[in-house]
Amino acid sequence: MAGLMSRFTTLFKVKANKALDRAEDPGETLDYSYQKQLEMLQKVKRGVADVVTSKKRLQLQTAKLEESIVKLDGQARQALAANREDLARTALERKTLIQGQLQGLDAQIAQLEQQQQTLIDQERRLSAKVESFRTQKEVVKAQYSAAEAQVRIGEATTGLGEEMSDVGMALSRAQDKTEQMQARASAVNELVETGAIDDLTAPAGSDLDQQIAALTAGSQVDSELAKMKAELGAGAPAGELGAGAAAAEAAPTEEKAP
Amino acid sequence: MIVRILGKGQFRLDDNQLGRLNELDNAVAAAVAAGDAGGFARAFSDLIDMVETSGTPVADSDLVTSDHVLPHVDTTLEEAREAFAGEGAIPG
C-alpha cells in the first residue's frame, strides 16, 4: 500500500490543476489572472463570513434547546402533580432525547469553532499571497514581454492556485459540517415544537411519542420519574392543576444542570 | 522540499528528512489498512508533528508549489480510507 501522503498529493494536485485550468483561458493576461484571483479571494471572504454566521445561529439554536429542556422538566412535574404519569413520562423521554442531541451539537460547535479559526488564518494567508502575486506581476511585466512574463511567473501562479484550492477545500468542509449540524438542530427543534405538551388532557401515545420512546433510554426516565414522585410525595400535595403548575415554576432551578 | 498540510500552509523541510517522512507515512497507511482508528490518530499526529517541528513555515509572500501534500490535521480514519479508495482512476 502506498503512503497516505503520496495518495493525497496526487488527489490534491489533480484538484488544484483543475482549478488552475479554469482560470487560464488562452490569451489571458497576467492582469486578468490577478482579477480572477481577487474575485476568488472575495468569494473566500464571503464564505468565511457565512461560516461564522452559521455558527452563531447554531449557538442560538442550542441555547433555545437548553430552554426547552427546562420547560419539559417543568411540564413533567406539572403532569405528575395532575396524576398523569403517562404525560410526565413522555415529557421526560423527550427531555432525555433532546439532552442527548444537545451534547453532540455542543461538541460539533467546538469543532466548527476550530475550523473557523483555521479558515480565518487561511484567508489572511491567501490575501498576503494574492498581494505578493500582484507585486511579482508588476515586476515581470516591467522587465519582460507579455509571453515571457507569463513563463517567469508560472511557479507563482501554480503556487497561488494550490493555496486557493487549499482554502476552497477547507471552506467546503466547514460548509458541509454546518449544513449537517443545521439539519440536526432543525430536526431536534421540530421535535420540541411538535412535541410541546401544552394540553394535559390530550391523549398520549401518538406516533411521535412512540418513536421517541423507542429512541430513548428508559432507565433515566424511570429514575427521574421516581425522583419527582418522591419529591412530590414529600413536599407539594398533588392538587389542582394550577397549583401543580405553580410548583413547577418554582421547582426547576435544581434540575437545570444536565 | 516543500510539504503542505491542508489548512496549515506550507513547510520547508530538508531533503534528507524524506526517509523519516516516508517511514511515518507508511505507519499511517498501515493503520488505515488495518482499520485501526486509535493507531491512525497516533501515527497521523506523529507525521503532522514531524513536519511542523522539523520544517519552517513558508513565508506568506512566497508563491511556491508543494512536493508533498498532507490532509487536514483533523482528518478521520474514514476520510483517509476514502482518499485511498475514492476518485477511481487517477493518472499516475
Side-chain angles (χ1 to χ4, degrees), chain B residues 31-65:
Chain B
V32 175
D36 173 7
F40 168 77
R42 274 191 303 278
F44 186 57
S45 120
D46 286 348
L47 178 59
I48 296 285
D49 280 353
M50 187 258 167
V51 173
E52 285 184 316
T53 53
S54 321
T56 45
V58 169
D60 285 353
S61 54
D62 273 6
L63 298 170
V64 289
T65 51

Side-chain angles (χ1 to χ4, degrees), chain A residues 1-5 7-13 118 122 124-125 128-129 132 155-156 158-159 162-163 166 173, chain B residues 4 6-10 25 29 59-66 68-69 71-72 74 79 83-84 86-87 90:
Chain A
M1 192 176 207
L4 178 72
M5 192 168 66
R7 181 69 193 153
F8 214 84
T9 304
T10 314
L11 287 176
F12 180 76
K13 295 258 171 175
T118 306
Q122 284 187 275
R124 187 191 42 72
R125 197 156 57 226
K129 287 196 188 274
S132 173
E155 161 102 6
T158 325
E162 252 191 36
E163 202 68 34
D166 189 343
R173 240 170 148 241
Chain B
R4 175 183 291 277
L6 289 189
K8 286 228 161 188
Q10 295 169 301
D25 187 35
D60 285 353
S61 54
D62 273 6
L63 298 170
V64 289
T65 51
S66 309
H68 305 286
V69 181
H72 292 96
D74 59 353
E79 286 172 316
F84 280 113
E87 309 282 334
I90 299 275

Side-chain angles (χ1 to χ4, degrees), chain A residues 244-256:
Chain A
E249 296 283 306
T253 41
E254 63 189 87
E255 281 282 325
K256 239 176 200 167

Side-chain angles (χ1 to χ4, degrees), chain A residues 10 36 43 62 67 108 124 132 137 180 231 238-239 255:
Chain A
T10 314
K36 284 276 157 211
K43 264 167 90 174
T62 53
E67 281 170 27
Q108 284 187 312
R124 187 191 42 72
S132 173
K137 162 181 80 83
Q180 283 167 17
E231 282 170 16
E255 281 282 325

Side-chain angles (χ1 to χ4, degrees), chain A residues 203-219:
Chain A
S206 68
D207 277 351
L208 181 66
D209 294 338
Q210 281 165 4
Q211 281 171 27
I212 294 165
L215 281 168
T216 313
S219 56

Side-chain angles (χ1 to χ4, degrees), chain A residues 85-251:
Chain A
E85 185 173 332
D86 54 339
L87 281 180
R89 178 174 289 273
T90 307
L92 286 180
E93 279 168 351
R94 206 164 267 140
K95 177 187 143 184
T96 309
L97 180 67
I98 294 168
Q99 263 175 341
Q101 296 286 323
L102 259 184
Q103 275 168 12
L105 275 174
D106 284 346
Q108 284 187 312
I109 287 178
Q111 276 176 14
L112 192 61
E113 210 138 47
Q114 272 188 340
Q115 282 191 339
Q116 179 193 313
Q117 195 45 55
T118 306
L119 272 173
I120 290 169
D121 292 345
Q122 284 187 275
E123 181 198 305
R124 187 191 42 72
R125 197 156 57 226
L126 185 61
S127 294
K129 287 196 188 274
V130 169
E131 175 53 22
S132 173
F133 182 87
R134 190 190 65 80
T135 317
Q136 291 187 32
K137 162 181 80 83
E138 293 309 320
V139 171
V140 295
K141 263 171 65 186
Q143 293 174 352
Y144 302 98
S145 70
E148 238 180 334
Q150 289 272 25
V151 175
R152 296 258 163 192
I153 212 166
E155 161 102 6
T157 310
T158 325
L160 190 56
E162 252 191 36
E163 202 68 34
M164 296 265 182
S165 296
D166 189 343
V167 186
M169 280 170 85
L171 201 51
S172 63
R173 240 170 148 241
Q175 280 160 348
D176 283 354
K177 193 168 198 81
T178 36
E179 271 168 33
Q180 283 167 17
M181 288 167 68
Q182 260 157 5
R184 195 164 153 198
S186 306
V188 184
N189 211 33
E190 204 169 307
L191 192 71
V192 173
E193 276 164 17
T194 58
I197 311 168
D198 295 327
D199 181 7
L200 287 180
T201 60
S206 68
D207 277 351
L208 181 66
D209 294 338
Q210 281 165 4
Q211 281 171 27
I212 294 165
L215 281 168
T216 313
S219 56
Q220 191 192 333
V221 172
D222 284 336
S223 71
E224 286 205 46
L225 264 178
K227 199 174 143 207
M228 276 188 186
K229 275 184 189 171
E231 282 170 16
L232 283 166
E240 289 297 307
L241 192 53
E249 296 283 306

